[in-house]
Amino acid sequence: MSASPHRDIIFDMRCLQDEAYRTRGVGKVAETILIRAKEYLETAKPAEKWRFTGLIASDLPDLSPEHRIAVDAIRHSAPREPGPSATFVNLSPMTHDPLFVARLVNDPNVLSAAVCYDFIPLAEPERYLPGLAERLGYSLSMYWLACHRFFAPISEATASELGERLAIPPSEIVNMGAPLAPSFITQNTRTPQHSNAKMRRSVLVIGGGDERKNVECAIRAHAQSTLLRRKKIDLVITGNYPRYWRDDLLNKYIIHGGSPRLLTFAGHVDQNTLVKLYRHAYCVVCMSRAEGFSLPLIEAMACDTPVIASDIPAHRELIKLPNYLLPCNADAELCQLLEHLWQDKYATAEFVKTHQNVWPRFTAKNVAKRFWSALLEHMETADSAAPSATAINSPTVSRRHRPRIAFITPLPPVRSGVADYSAACLKELAKICDVTVYTNTPSPSPIEDVASIRPISVYAHLAPEYDRVVSVMGNSHFHLDIFQHLIRYGGACIQHDNRLLGFYGILLGKERAESVAANELQRPLQKGELDGWLAEESKLEATLLGELAAVSDPLFMHSINTAKIVQDRFNITPNILPFSIYRHWAETDFAPARRLQARERLGISQSEVAIVSFGFIHKSKAPMDCISALELLRSWGVPAKLYFVGEGDRLFRQYTQFSDQLGISNNVIFTNKYSSEASYRDYLLAADLGVQLRTHLLGGLSGALLDCIAVGLPTVANADLADSMESPSYVERVHDRPSPVLIANAWASLIERYNGGARPHGERKAFAATHNFTVYAHRLCEGLSLETRRFIAAA
């Protein structure tokens, strides 16, 4: 075995989350393999250190505590680069989206093992695969199943089909069987059959809501028997059947001569009750048309109860007396055999004796031992065949080629600050990495040195050629496809916004938004609380970043304050990237003549104090308070005007009316449109002061404030916003719930400090030296554990 400090084993645990499988045969097999893994491996290889990781899906229920503690760590997506000699155990490859774990199955350095249950849908495709979508989905699962390197079917029948359908060689297959529940072993007293014969007065059928179980054959056979009716032998059928189905079965029973008093539908029963039903039955009937493995057969054998079963492959390998195997619809023969078993107790004794050594092979311990011993042999073979590694569990990806990154983001020309930011980032990142951009932006603007720009698809997450996948998230509809793929497949994420309230509340629905917020705040939301947040973001308490933080590996953020909240609420430590200046400025742009020219183009007189607020005008930016502060500032004799450069929200008319009421409408200018780049840059150069406020807090950021900082514009901002962005001293902090007086005082202070439009260029340059995309790109690669130093000279 490897000299690695630990051996990584990764489990796909989604079947243990899903209620449709967790309590059924699939879940029981998966549970046996998972829970007994350490017990076997630490005994078989005591010198090895084992590390277990469980993969779960965010859109499924939480794991039970018993299953969660069986692994050392939980992930919401497959790791892109698992440790050397890692092993992946796919506990249920045909029941959930195979692309979720495709990276692991596709990785030549990972030994992938698949637990195989059956191929029943192919036996009755008209029932299980009725439409094109179902057939295509099943074919996709079959394709990915075949890509595994080790197979553990639960029966010889399934093993045979693996060879026939997928051409899997026998050397890669081990028949492990399925586990018997512990209650059948602990309650097995091995009482001689003749001593409790009088207690056994029923025929038991283990059914379920699937026509494949074929309980109708037992219904007809029991109903036709005069002997069983005379002896008052009950027919007990377990499994959940809806009322209409039970009524239909009862009618069939009566039509064939049965007495309704003798037919009992037991429904779903717990394990202890099930054991009692077995031990009360003198015979168990299993006439299923298809099975991967038949647990009722070994359960009956463990309870010293004979079984009559359909003659199918899964039954033939367990029942050693051929006369107890019948065609699926042989109700007449079944009736005769039921009567024979009741009358001939020696036949019962013969069956019990013949099969007394069958069921012990399927204890949970023996099933787990067959699985793990065979897989351990394959792991040792894979180790001996693998080339020696130069580094063991190295956290850094170091290649001869430059790191290859798939970068998923909106791009210009869409009107999105995130798109502009990504474009600026990519120009620098592409100098040290090979970057392929995935975007849904129509006709995206080209980006220098980027390898290619493609439409968003799952390929970015699954393709083996990428060392890392980076998804860029914001709070708008531009990120919906990015979010859905990130939640499903994980990967690195650059999260721009401090909250996803609009994204969840509008795009994903209020029910999901309330659920995510409640999980974050660890309390149920009050009625109407979410609507209150949507109407007034200053009241917002939840970031709604929980789902995204859980799947991001790693999570990058620009806001120090939001990162602290994420750490406190989700126990996840984000990587901090410098919120970097993304508009290019030359030093000549800051010459006094350029400022005068910009003021002339905008019609700003040289005598006025021009105060500018940039971006979409929204009540969360406190426009009313800013207008009131202007009125106050002017009353102090300052010839100031306030410019709102950006489109207005639905309350826009209220802002204009308010300025009219204060008598300063000539001094409050609304552009009320999305500014051109040239006009936006002119306002940044022409302004004397800036103002950027955010009332929703939680560590929010502002691209507009960043632009003000980049040009050295003295600006008023609330403390949460300014501190989150590591703002320099020429950003005057005000209270997070500022009053007009505080805003006006802050403007007055800046006017006194920077008289005549002077700008702090020394401090501006110092900020730019640490908040630029050259620094950003290298910090991003460090956070992604990508080695780029050797490629800096070439760049």
Side-chain angles (χ1 to χ4, degrees):
M1 297 285 284
S2 163
S4 165
H6 56 250
R7 296 296 303 254
D8 283 303
I9 299 184
I10 304 163
F11 298 88
D12 181 354
M13 299 177 68
R14 287 175 294 168
C15 65
L16 293 172
Q17 293 178 267
D18 195 334
E19 289 297 323
Y21 298 98
R22 184 176 62 82
T23 59
R24 293 169 56 189
V26 168
K28 297 307 177 184
V29 172
E31 180 181 79
T32 296
I33 292 171
L34 175 70
I35 291 179
R36 294 183 175 268
K38 281 190 177 180
E39 174 189 331
Y40 179 82
L41 293 174
E42 290 177 356
T43 301
K45 292 290 180 179
E48 292 281 359
K49 294 181 180 179
W50 303 92
R51 182 173 66 183
F52 292 176
T53 301
L55 302 182
I56 63 173
S58 300
D59 56 352
L60 291 171
D62 289 339
L63 288 169
S64 69
E66 180 184 16
H67 296 147
R68 182 173 282 273
I69 64 172
V71 294
D72 303 305
I74 292 290
R75 290 180 55 98
H76 289 77
S77 62
R80 179 154 289 274
E81 288 203 332
S85 304
T87 299
F88 168 55
V89 179
N90 199 335
L91 294 172
S92 183
M94 301 295 288
T95 56
H96 297 85
D97 176 17
L99 299 183
F100 182 75
V101 293
R103 280 207 302 264
L104 291 171
V105 179
N106 224 14
D107 191 330
N109 298 314
V110 175
L111 174 60
S112 54
V115 180
C116 304
Y117 297 90
D118 59 65
F119 296 95
I120 290 173
L122 298 178
E124 297 187 48
E126 66 285 348
R127 174 171 299 142
Y128 298 104
L129 307 172
L132 180 60
E134 290 84 0
R135 293 195 295 273
L136 288 174
Y138 196 82
S139 295
L140 179 65
S141 295
M142 289 279 283
Y143 168 80
W144 284 104
L145 174 63
C147 293
H148 291 73
R149 294 162 55 191
F150 171 81
F151 301 83
I154 61 173
S155 66
E156 288 294 344
T158 301
S160 177
E161 285 199 81
L162 275 170
E164 293 171 3
R165 295 185 182 277
L166 301 178
I168 306 300
S171 60
E172 296 178 6
I173 300 173
V174 59
N175 174 20
M176 66 173 184
L180 191 65
S183 53
F184 286 91
I185 301 168
T186 58
Q187 295 193 38
N188 187 279
T189 60
R190 312 306 297 160
T191 306
Q193 177 65 29
H194 61 82
S195 68
N196 63 358
K198 293 181 180 180
M199 296 175 54
R200 295 178 177 263
R201 299 192 59 84
S202 66
V203 174
L204 178 62
V205 178
I206 307 300
D210 191 328
E211 292 183 15
R212 168 176 57 85
K213 296 296 183 180
N214 190 27
V215 297
E216 290 84 354
C217 183
I219 289 271
R220 294 191 300 268
H222 188 277
Q224 292 168 18
S225 173
T226 304
L227 173 65
L228 299 183
R229 195 162 52 248
R230 188 173 71 248
K231 296 293 184 179
K232 297 182 180 180
I233 304 301
D234 295 319
L235 176 62
V236 180
I237 301 175
T238 67
N240 284 326
Y241 289 91
R243 180 61 181 270
Y244 76 89
W245 200 337
R246 295 199 306 270
D247 289 345
D248 180 62
L249 292 174
L250 177 59
N251 287 335
K252 290 179 178 177
Y253 185 67
I254 294 172
I255 289 172
H256 286 84
S259 171
R261 291 177 299 177
L262 298 179
L263 178 60
T264 299
F265 291 100
H268 176 74
V269 296
D270 60 42
Q271 287 294 321
N272 289 334
T273 302
L274 186 60
V275 171
K276 292 178 182 177
L277 289 177
Y278 274 111
R279 297 189 67 80
H280 189 262
Y282 83 87
C283 180
V284 173
V285 176
C286 299
M287 299 302 289
S288 176
R289 287 191 286 269
E291 294 289 349
F293 183 90
S294 193
L295 276 172
L297 270 62
I298 61 170
E299 289 171 347
M301 293 171 188
C303 293
D304 291 338
T305 308
V307 187
I308 304 172
S310 53
D311 190 7
I312 60 174
H315 290 165
R316 284 197 291 271
E317 63 186 83
L318 296 174
I319 292 184
K320 308 305 179 184
L321 297 173
N323 55 310
Y324 285 86
L325 295 169
L326 301 176
C328 290
N329 292 316
D331 46 279
E333 292 90 332
L334 176 57
C335 178
Q336 292 176 7
L337 196 47
L338 285 172
E339 292 181 346
H340 173 69
L341 273 173
W342 175 255
Q343 295 171 317
D344 188 352
K345 303 308 178 186
Y346 292 105
T348 296
E350 179 191 24
F351 185 96
V352 170
K353 182 178 180 181
T354 302
H355 296 90
Q356 63 184 354
N357 294 322
V358 173
W359 69 267
R361 294 192 287 117
F362 301 103
T363 62
K365 182 177 182 179
N366 286 336
V367 169
K369 180 179 180 180
R370 281 193 290 274
F371 175 85
W372 285 112
S373 62
L375 183 55
L376 197 56
E377 288 183 14
H378 277 69
M379 292 163 66
E380 291 172 337
T381 301
D383 283 349
S384 62
S388 60
T390 56
I392 300 300
N393 288 334
S394 171
T396 301
V397 177
S398 183
R399 304 269 195 274
R400 291 189 177 183
H401 62 73
R402 300 201 311 170
R404 295 167 179 168
I405 296 176
F407 202 90
I408 312 172
T409 181
L411 288 177
V414 300
R415 294 181 176 183
S416 160
V418 175
D420 294 337
Y421 196 93
S422 288
C425 166
L426 287 165
K427 289 178 183 178
E428 293 300 321
L429 187 62
K431 293 177 181 178
I432 55 175
C433 299
D434 293 334
V435 182
T436 301
V437 180
Y438 290 83
T439 184
N440 279 348
T441 299
S443 304
S445 302
I447 299 175
E448 185 178 356
D449 295 329
V450 162
S452 64
I453 300 177
R454 304 174 183 177
I456 290 177
S457 72
V458 298
Y459 182 81
H461 291 274
L462 304 180
E465 66 258 34
Y466 299 122
D467 297 313
R468 296 289 185 267
V469 180
V470 179
S471 297
V472 177
M473 271 301 300
N475 193 33
S476 74
H477 66 281
F478 295 120
H479 303 269
L480 184 57
D481 287 343
I482 298 173
F483 174 85
Q484 290 171 338
H485 286 154
L486 177 62
I487 286 293
R488 172 59 65 180
Y489 303 111
C493 173
I494 301 174
Q495 170 58 38
H496 276 257
D497 286 283
N498 67 322
R499 81 279 184 225
L500 292 177
L501 176 63
F503 187 85
Y504 271 89
I506 297 171
L507 296 176
L508 300 182
K510 291 183 179 179
E511 183 178 350
R512 185 170 180 183
E514 288 175 344
S515 174
V516 171
N519 286 338
E520 176 179 347
L521 300 177
Q522 297 186 338
R523 65 169 177 82
L525 264 62
Q526 301 296 319
K527 184 177 181 180
E529 188 170 5
L530 179 68
D531 290 329
W533 292 345
L534 288 165
E536 182 56 67
E537 285 198 66
S538 63
K539 300 177 181 178
L540 180 63
E541 295 182 37
T543 64
L544 287 92
L545 294 173
E547 285 189 315
L548 186 140
V551 301
S552 299
D553 182 25
L555 174 64
F556 294 94
M557 307 192 83
H558 304 123
S559 165
I560 293 175
N561 287 353
T562 307
K564 290 177 181 176
I565 293 172
V566 169
Q567 170 68 47
D568 291 342
R569 295 185 181 181
F570 310 119
N571 196 30
I572 292 170
T573 304
N575 288 13
I576 303 297
L577 294 175
F579 195 39
S580 297
I581 298 167
Y582 56 93
R583 281 183 166 83
H584 174 72
W585 298 93
E587 284 302 309
T588 54
D589 291 330
F590 304 116
R594 292 288 182 89
R595 181 171 183 271
L596 293 174
Q597 292 167 2
R599 291 175 77 96
E600 288 175 2
R601 284 192 292 269
L602 297 172
I604 298 174
S605 76
Q606 303 305 318
S607 60
E608 74 179 61
V609 175
I611 305 173
V612 184
S613 178
F614 295 94
F616 187 73
I617 307 168
H618 190 272
K619 64 179 181 178
S620 66
K621 299 179 181 179
M624 295 286 213
D625 290 325
C626 291
I627 293 170
S628 294
L630 178 74
E631 191 268 341
L632 188 60
L633 189 66
R634 288 186 63 82
S635 73
W636 297 342
V638 179
K641 284 188 176 182
L642 178 58
Y643 294 81
F644 288 97
V645 179
E647 296 176 286
D649 66 2
R650 59 185 179 84
L651 300 178
F652 175 71
R653 291 194 63 182
Q654 293 184 21
Y655 309 145
T656 59
Q657 290 170 357
F658 184 62
S659 62
D660 286 340
Q661 292 169 6
L662 294 179
I664 57 172
S665 57
N666 291 334
N667 299 303
V668 181
I669 313 300
F670 296 93
T671 64
N672 197 27
K673 63 181 180 180
Y674 189 89
S675 297
S676 68
E677 180 66 14
S679 175
Y680 186 84
R681 294 173 75 93
D682 274 350
Y683 274 108
L684 283 166
L685 293 175
D688 294 289
L689 302 174
V691 58
Q692 299 298 143
L693 302 173
R694 296 290 186 275
T695 61
H696 48 67
L697 309 183
L698 298 174
L701 301 174
S702 166
L705 177 57
L706 182 66
D707 287 328
C708 294
I709 295 171
V711 298
L713 177 63
T715 302
V716 172
N718 58 291
D720 180 78
L721 175 62
D723 292 343
S724 295
M725 295 177 58
E726 304 174 292
S727 299
S729 67
Y730 54 90
V731 175
E732 185 79 5
R733 273 83 165 165
V734 295
H735 193 274
D736 286 324
R737 299 284 186 253
S739 67
V741 173
L742 291 176
I743 297 170
N745 277 329
W747 282 336
S749 175
L750 289 174
I751 291 170
E752 184 178 351
R753 240 193 300 166
Y754 302 102
N755 186 36
R759 298 202 174 177
H761 292 301
E763 197 173 357
R764 169 184 64 79
K765 292 177 183 178
F767 183 90
T770 56
H771 292 75
N772 62 75
F773 280 108
T774 299
V775 174
Y776 188 99
H778 286 289
R779 291 268 293 274
L780 176 62
C781 289
E782 288 173 9
L784 294 171
S785 300
L786 297 174
E787 174 59 67
T788 58
R789 285 173 297 181
R790 70 178 70 184
F791 308 113
I792 294 175

